[in-house]
Amino acid sequence: MKKIIELKNITKSFDGEVVLDNINLDIYDNEFLTLLGPSGCGKTTTLRIIGGFETADVGDVIFLGERINDVPPHKRNVNTVFQRYALFPHLNVFENVAFPLREKRVPKAEIEERVNEMLKLVALSGFEKRSVSSLSGGQQQRVAIARALVGQPKVLLLDEPLAALDLKLRKDMQQELKKIQKATGITFIFVTHDQEEALSMSDTVVVMSEGRIQQIGTPVDIYNEPENAFVADFIGESNILDGVMLRDRRVSFAGHVFDCVDSGFAPKEPVDVVVRPEDVDIVPEEKGMLRGVVTSVTFLGVHYEIIVDINGFKWMIQTTDFVDVDERIGLYIEPEAIHIMHKSEYSGLFGDYSSFSMEMDEIGELEQIEELAELTEPSEEGAGRDE
């Protein structure tokens, strides 16, 4: 695949605070790449530097082999769709899409052809004469995308464009955006804080935190092979425990020795162990590798979300099997369900579900998580969930 954008050693500060810290990233032709992370991680600043709306303090932006740091936005072969679509209320759908072509004095016949082609692509044929103010949020978004694509950019930047839509429409538009990207072959760079959105749409996911890239990979790799506790916690639910790698494919955690599939760690190396809630099997207590008592059960339609206390560590289990509160159960974990990570600066910040609640969901700030960690036992650190 051809490399279309290179970010080299990008650093950016606002008012003395570093928001991007030595970012290096390669983006390829015909790729759907998502910048994913919590608020304040630097993902939108990265997008704005690519678009030319911000300038890096240090580092270079390379576009098709040429340095474009000083090239203004309107001269870059890049278009942007923002959260607010910025449509012209006094123009109909056709004229909104045609606007950038009229600005470039494209011949009338070509404008007609290209606008109609774009409206067909975004499933708005027949809407040409409609007022944009009469359209639904999803339809307005399609107009904004058509307007951004009609100029045939090499890259389309999308800054959380689905944020204002309701859940069902948001899911529908996720699929539509992916179809549009494949149909046009244009590189999409998408910004979101929504993990499900990133996993369902992207070829490549770039997970960011505190102005740094934590991991780059396919959605499957990011979910199944997180590189540190932040990524494991941010991408879906995770039980994260302290462990010791005894030798290749053999790890000790939660008072038990397990077979696993990981290797390459030093003998007796302290590690973080990740077990996803859906990868744990509930068995009779006497058959369990681990044994505990159920402290809560929540029905979520397709499965139950169960919290199990095992020696003071609260596990989350997602299962279709019903168990009752206060029931004693066993847990069985296959070797393939155990993922081993090196210790990192995020070790101990995330882990069990001792205080899994809406209040903890709303904390969101790393400083508050660290403050809570000082007041709890090591096994309970990271009860708060980062947003």
Side-chain angles (χ1 to χ4, degrees):
M1 286 172 53
K2 183 172 68 173
K3 198 180 294 184
I4 192 166
I5 291 174
E6 300 169 74
L7 301 182
K8 294 187 173 182
N9 309 116
I10 297 293
T11 297
K12 179 68 176 178
S13 298
F14 291 110
D15 299 323
E17 181 180 352
V18 177
V19 295
L20 290 178
D21 185 5
N22 196 36
I23 295 292
N24 289 277
L25 179 62
D26 294 336
I27 303 170
Y28 294 87
D29 194 28
N30 196 21
E31 181 178 32
F32 196 124
L33 180 139
T34 297
L35 302 173
L36 172 67
S39 297
C41 72
K43 55 188 185 295
T44 294
T45 302
T46 303
L47 195 80
R48 290 177 62 82
I49 287 174
I50 293 171
F53 303 106
E54 298 285 353
T55 301
D57 300 331
V58 177
D60 293 318
V61 180
I62 309 298
F63 187 88
L64 293 175
E66 295 186 8
R67 183 179 181 275
I68 61 168
N69 290 39
D70 301 320
V71 177
H74 67 279
K75 292 188 176 180
R76 300 188 183 195
N77 198 3
V78 173
N79 271 347
T80 305
V81 177
F82 297 100
Q83 287 184 32
R84 296 179 180 178
Y85 309 135
L87 300 177
F88 301 115
H90 62 288
L91 299 179
N92 62 24
V93 169
F94 184 96
E95 290 302 328
N96 263 279
V97 178
F99 183 81
L101 300 182
R102 296 201 190 282
E103 287 287 291
K104 294 179 180 179
R105 303 187 183 278
V106 174
K108 183 177 180 181
E110 185 178 347
I111 291 175
E112 186 91 15
E113 179 183 354
R114 286 167 63 176
V115 170
N116 287 332
E117 180 184 349
M118 284 299 107
L119 291 177
K120 182 178 180 181
L121 181 68
V122 299
L124 285 178
S125 294
F127 285 72
E128 292 84 354
K129 295 182 180 180
R130 293 271 192 97
S131 166
V132 292
S133 60
S134 71
L135 303 181
S136 68
Q139 289 168 337
Q140 289 182 7
Q141 184 197 56
R142 291 167 191 257
V143 175
I145 291 169
R147 185 177 64 186
L149 292 175
V150 76
Q152 300 171 335
K154 291 292 292 182
V155 177
L156 183 65
L157 310 178
L158 301 109
D159 187 8
E160 301 207 53
L162 309 184
L165 305 181
D166 63 53
L167 181 60
K168 184 179 185 306
L169 185 55
R170 187 170 182 151
K171 288 183 177 294
D172 290 342
M173 284 307 303
Q174 289 172 13
Q175 299 304 315
E176 287 301 316
L177 279 176
K178 186 63 178 174
K179 289 179 184 176
I180 291 168
Q181 190 271 325
K182 289 300 180 188
T184 60
I186 292 171
T187 297
F188 278 26
I189 305 175
F190 188 90
V191 162
T192 185
H193 63 272
D194 187 302
Q195 303 93 322
E196 182 182 339
E197 199 163 83
L199 295 176
S200 66
M201 298 170 65
S202 313
D203 300 316
T204 303
V205 179
V206 179
V207 184
M208 300 183 67
S209 174
E210 299 179 289
R212 300 191 301 274
I213 292 174
Q214 302 296 322
Q215 187 169 352
I216 302 172
T218 67
V220 172
D221 288 342
I222 293 287
Y223 187 82
N224 290 333
E225 301 292 334
E227 290 188 2
N228 60 41
F230 173 83
V231 177
D233 180 82
F234 192 76
I235 307 295
E237 304 293 349
S238 298
N239 301 291
I240 307 175
L241 302 96
D242 291 325
V244 176
M245 202 69 181
L246 302 177
R247 60 177 186 271
D248 284 353
R249 292 174 287 281
R250 194 78 166 160
V251 64
S252 172
F253 64 92
H256 189 89
V257 176
F258 295 83
D259 292 326
C260 63
V261 296
D262 292 271
S263 60
F265 292 82
K268 298 185 179 180
E269 178 181 344
V271 294
D272 286 335
V273 179
V274 176
V275 181
R276 295 289 189 183
E278 68 272 19
D279 292 335
V280 181
D281 293 326
I282 294 177
V283 298
E285 183 181 10
E286 64 275 10
K287 295 183 179 180
M289 295 170 162
L290 302 174
R291 301 169 186 180
V293 60
V294 176
T295 61
S296 76
V297 178
T298 305
F299 179 60
L300 296 178
V302 295
H303 66 265
Y304 296 97
E305 197 164 79
I306 297 168
I307 305 299
V308 183
D309 187 328
I310 299 177
N311 298 324
F313 188 98
K314 301 297 196 305
W315 287 67
M316 175 184 281
I317 313 299
Q318 294 174 344
T319 178
T320 56
D321 299 326
F322 176 74
V323 294
D324 213 342
V325 172
D326 295 329
E327 186 174 341
R328 295 195 63 83
I329 63 172
L331 304 185
Y332 182 83
I333 306 170
E334 296 279 358
E336 293 78 9
I338 298 169
H339 175 69
I340 311 299
M341 305 182 301
H342 291 287
K343 288 288 184 181
S344 72
E345 63 186 296
Y346 298 103
S347 298
L349 294 179
F350 311 99
D352 78 345
Y353 290 84
S354 292
S355 303
F356 186 60
S357 65
M358 291 305 294
E359 288 81 11
M360 296 305 295
D361 267 338
E362 291 168 1
I363 290 177
E365 297 294 331
L366 189 57
E367 292 85 355
Q368 291 172 290
I369 293 173
E370 291 172 336
E371 183 178 337
L372 285 171
E374 293 175 1
L375 302 175
T376 59
E377 294 296 323
S379 64
E380 295 182 2
E381 291 176 4
R385 318 302 290 170
D386 192 80
E387 290 193 337

